[in-house]
Amino acid sequence: MRTSKINRMIGGGAAAAVFAGAIALSAGSAQAAGINGVTNCSAPGGKQEVGAVLGAVVGGLIGNKVGGRHPTGETVLGAAAGAAAGSAVGCQMQKGAARQYGQGATYTRGGYRLSSYVAPASYSKIGDTFVATRSVNLRAAPTTGSERVGSLRSGERFQALAHVRGSDWILVGQGGVGVGYVHEAYVQPDGYRYARY
């Protein structure tokens, strides 16, 4: 009797995983077609897709465990409910990250797209990946007295869009948008040097 219950749980887990995969694929297709779906969040990022898949798996396992005479039906229902809940949580996380990095309104100056809160400057292009050598604040302008608009963790890689001419500051990018400035004393190129003009 115990073996058959374990087999039902494993079978339900496999069904949930298949269902989660189908949700992720169909949602990705819907998003590409411009249709709102389980994983179509208004903020950029991949947390919603991960949340939907994890929610579907967990929901499917729970549905299977509490399922009575129809464990497959409860597995599918649990997976659907879990995908919806995971999707909602993931989207909220993406929106929070977008707010943190100001990915809403942008403007263009000197050939660079900047978040609305980032002050423009005169730039020399870098366009490479850099890494933070310690935890450091991002600033709205290339000065230590400007507003703190985010942070980088020690070891975190980021887009170094440009060097601010005549200073020791670098424009940090996310998705090609300048989201703040970091002093070059706290960052370095990720594996190679860059030419400073």
Side-chain angles (χ1 to χ4, degrees), residues 30-50:
Q31 188 172 13
I35 301 167
N36 287 333
V38 173
T39 59
N40 193 5
C41 188
S42 62
K47 290 179 173 55
Q48 188 180 26
E49 288 84 355
V50 172

Side-chain angles (χ1 to χ4, degrees), residues 113-188:
R113 278 184 42 222
L114 304 173
S115 290
S116 60
Y117 60 85
V118 173
S122 177
Y123 303 114
S124 297
K125 183 177 181 178
I126 297 176
D128 289 328
T129 302
F130 273 46
V131 62
T133 56
R134 59 177 274 193
S135 294
V136 63
N137 291 326
L138 293 181
R139 300 289 179 177
T143 65
T144 53
S146 66
E147 180 184 0
R148 180 186 177 275
V149 295
S151 63
L152 295 170
R153 295 179 312 276
S154 179
E156 183 175 352
R157 287 171 173 73
F158 64 94
Q159 295 173 330
L161 296 178
H163 186 270
V164 178
R165 289 187 178 138
S167 79
D168 296 327
W169 292 84
I170 292 173
L171 177 62
V172 175
Q174 185 175 37
V177 176
V179 295
Y181 297 94
V182 65
H183 195 279
E184 68 179 17
Y186 306 112
V187 299
Q188 66 185 23

Side-chain angles (χ1 to χ4, degrees), residues 29-102:
S29 301
Q31 188 172 13
I35 301 167
N36 287 333
V38 173
T39 59
N40 193 5
C41 188
S42 62
K47 290 179 173 55
Q48 188 180 26
E49 288 84 355
V50 172
V53 171
L54 291 176
V57 171
V58 171
L61 290 172
I62 291 171
N64 182 267
K65 185 162 178 87
V66 300
R69 296 191 311 204
H70 306 288
T72 302
E74 280 84 357
T75 299
V76 171
L77 287 174
S87 172
V89 169
C91 184
Q92 288 305 314
M93 291 173 71
Q94 284 175 214
K95 288 179 180 177
R99 279 191 301 274
Q100 177 184 356
Y101 291 106

Side-chain angles (χ1 to χ4, degrees), residues 5-33:
K5 188 171 184 178
I6 290 172
N7 286 340
R8 272 194 357 224
M9 285 178 65
I10 291 171
V18 169
F19 188 70
I23 286 173
L25 290 174
S26 65
S29 301
Q31 188 172 13

